[in-house]
Amino acid sequence: MAPRGGRPAASSGSEDEEEAAGFSRSYFLAKEKEPSSGKKRARAAAGKLSDLNLVDEHVLRASLAEIPPKHEEEVEALTRCYKDQYHNWLFELRCGFGLLMYGFGSKKQLLEDFASTTLTDFTVIVINGYLPSVNLKQVIATIAEMFWDQTKAKRKRQPGTRAQLSQQFPSQSTEDIISFLMRQTSDDVDYPVCLLIHNVDGPALRDTESQQCLAQISCCPQVRVVASIDHVNAPLLWDKKMVHKQFKWSWYHVPTFAPYKVEGVFYPLILASGGHAQTTKTALVLQSLTPNAQSVFRVLAEYQLANEKEEGMPVNSLYTKCRERFLVSSQVTLNSHLTEFKDHDLVKIRKHSDGQDCLRIPLVSDALEKLLQELA
């Protein structure tokens, strides 16, 4: 038996639901018909970040340098705690592990102090991973040459081995150099090498090839690695188990709360003028390139300043100019320079109205002139 008054209650509920649904439909229909001019005016009034009058980067950096340090006593006490662990770190290095330091703050001063006071039995080679570019082949060639010299010195002290002293270094290919390093033992080398890598997660070392090369070096019997990371996604560099096993990292949380004074120079500040930041970045990248590459860039920059109204410099014209100045010997050489420029966002390529590929440096004339003055 249905409860008394059941039917009227159901009818009332249906009416309420229909009324609520009708109200919702009316609300959204009204919103759809509402003119968007008011919204646009509100967005326009809010403005954009690009509309802000930002200061030049050197002014902002000068202001940052004047900020007094805080909590000096606490930071000093924290640093002393880390120094007490130096002998433990050295023990792990001698056991074949690599040291990986992470935590907020620059770890550059801490690692260099550890190297100068504790790693006295090692030859320390410093790699600044925060630089725009790092030549890893040159690093491993330097290690190999050091080991080769030590091996020759040992052979010289041994009787009956003078005939082997004239042998030159085996090869200059990366594979052969690493193969040579892998064969070195404590009998061949007096002082093992410790690679001290500031920011192994830096922009020049993040690619897979660089990480694999460093991992192979870390496996060499007479090479140890001490490194720091600061990027939040740095652990993803070693998502492959093989690479992670090669490094044999021993992780240490060492927040120093020290400002990134040196490392930060190579990154434009967010609140700085965009044009100046781009100029600074371009100048830093150019300084890391070869003199020939810098000269090719100068030819392009001078053309752009002299022909501001043109869409860019045709590639053929750049090749002709560079040949006249004996900067390149072939189109292949020029293309290798242009590839390097494009990889570092130094130039942009666009199609000319007649279909030619044209090159243009993404800087305003004033910034480009200032850049050329700095290069000179």
Side-chain angles (χ1 to χ4, degrees):
M1 187 178 205
R4 187 175 298 178
R7 288 184 181 276
S11 176
S12 176
S14 300
E15 291 176 1
D16 291 343
E17 290 175 2
E18 289 178 3
E19 185 179 352
F23 176 78
S24 300
R25 282 195 296 271
S26 301
Y27 174 80
F28 287 110
L29 286 172
K31 282 292 180 183
E32 287 178 4
K33 295 178 181 178
E34 184 179 299
S36 59
S37 58
K39 298 178 183 178
K40 290 180 179 179
R41 282 196 299 270
R43 283 198 296 267
K48 297 179 291 184
L49 184 62
S50 58
D51 296 333
L52 296 177
N53 186 20
L54 301 177
V55 299
D56 285 340
E57 186 167 356
H58 69 277
V59 175
L60 186 55
R61 288 193 184 277
S63 300
L64 288 173
E66 294 176 358
I67 298 176
K70 296 181 179 180
H71 310 292
E72 291 180 291
E73 293 182 2
E74 290 83 357
V75 170
E76 188 177 346
L78 193 62
T79 305
R80 285 198 299 270
C81 291
Y82 299 149
K83 290 183 177 182
D84 291 340
Q85 300 182 48
Y86 281 2
H87 292 292
N88 294 335
W89 298 353
L90 178 60
F91 175 75
E92 292 200 18
L93 276 180
R94 286 175 172 166
C95 290
F97 293 96
L99 302 180
L100 187 64
M101 310 299 181
Y102 69 100
F104 181 78
S106 173
K107 290 158 282 292
K108 189 174 188 297
Q109 187 175 351
L110 176 68
L111 294 187
E112 290 180 353
D113 180 72
F114 169 61
S116 61
T117 59
T118 311
L119 301 180
T120 52
D121 294 336
F122 290 82
T123 300
V124 179
I125 297 177
V126 179
I127 299 177
N128 294 319
Y130 50 78
L131 293 175
S133 63
V134 176
N135 191 338
L136 280 182
K137 183 177 180 181
Q138 185 178 357
V139 172
I140 62 174
T142 301
I143 300 173
E145 287 172 6
M146 292 171 55
F147 285 169
W148 185 249
D149 291 340
Q150 292 183 36
T151 302
K152 287 195 297 182
K154 278 198 168 187
R155 288 176 182 174
K156 191 175 181 179
R157 294 193 296 266
Q158 296 172 359
T161 57
R162 289 191 176 274
Q164 301 177 10
L165 297 178
S166 60
Q167 292 181 0
Q168 296 182 353
F169 190 72
S171 173
Q172 290 300 319
S173 70
T174 303
E175 293 77 11
D176 288 339
I177 295 175
I178 292 179
S179 177
F180 168 76
L181 296 178
M182 292 294 291
R183 295 196 302 270
Q184 300 308 298
T185 65
S186 56
D187 295 331
D188 302 317
V189 177
D190 291 321
Y191 297 98
V193 164
C194 180
L195 280 184
L196 185 62
I197 309 175
H198 298 301
N199 293 98
V200 71
D201 55 344
L205 300 176
R206 287 177 193 164
D207 59 284
T208 305
E209 184 179 352
S210 296
Q211 290 296 320
Q212 287 178 344
C213 180
L214 289 172
Q216 287 179 319
I217 297 172
S218 70
C219 291
C220 298
Q222 300 302 312
V223 178
R224 298 292 181 266
V225 179
V226 178
S228 66
I229 57 173
D230 284 292
H231 199 284
V232 66
N233 292 325
L236 298 178
L237 293 172
W238 311 295
D239 56 346
K240 295 181 179 179
K241 292 183 179 179
M242 182 59 68
V243 175
H244 191 273
K245 286 181 179 179
Q246 287 176 311
F247 276 117
K248 292 186 286 188
W249 290 128
S250 181
W251 295 65
Y252 279 95
H253 184 222
V254 288
T256 63
F257 303 98
Y260 295 94
K261 288 183 179 179
V262 179
E263 302 92 326
V265 169
F266 301 93
Y267 294 90
L269 299 175
I270 296 175
L271 297 178
S273 171
H276 184 83
Q278 180 62 33
T279 307
T280 304
K281 178 184 175 184
T282 304
L284 291 169
V285 173
L286 282 174
Q287 288 172 6
S288 66
L289 300 181
T290 63
N292 253 28
Q294 293 179 13
S295 300
V296 172
F297 183 87
R298 178 180 288 279
V299 172
L300 177 59
E302 290 172 350
Y303 180 91
Q304 183 168 315
L305 289 172
N307 305 273
E308 294 183 9
K309 295 183 179 180
E310 292 191 12
E311 299 177 46
M313 185 176 190
V315 176
N316 293 337
S317 301
L318 178 62
Y319 176 64
T320 303
K321 288 279 188 184
C322 292
R323 278 293 297 267
E324 291 173 356
R325 300 188 187 186
F326 302 102
L327 299 176
V328 297
S329 57
S330 65
Q331 185 71 45
V332 175
T333 307
L334 178 63
N335 289 342
S336 66
H337 290 316
L338 295 180
T339 300
E340 201 165 19
F341 293 163
K342 286 184 286 184
D343 290 344
H344 291 97
D345 294 325
L346 299 181
V347 299
K348 301 292 183 184
I349 296 182
R350 60 177 68 177
K351 284 287 184 183
H352 196 271
S353 54
D354 59 2
Q356 291 187 79
D357 284 336
C358 290
L359 304 166
R360 189 165 185 83
I361 302 169
L363 290 174
V364 296
S365 298
D366 293 341
L368 195 53
E369 288 177 358
K370 183 178 179 182
L371 179 61
L372 290 179
Q373 291 173 3
E374 291 178 357
L375 285 178

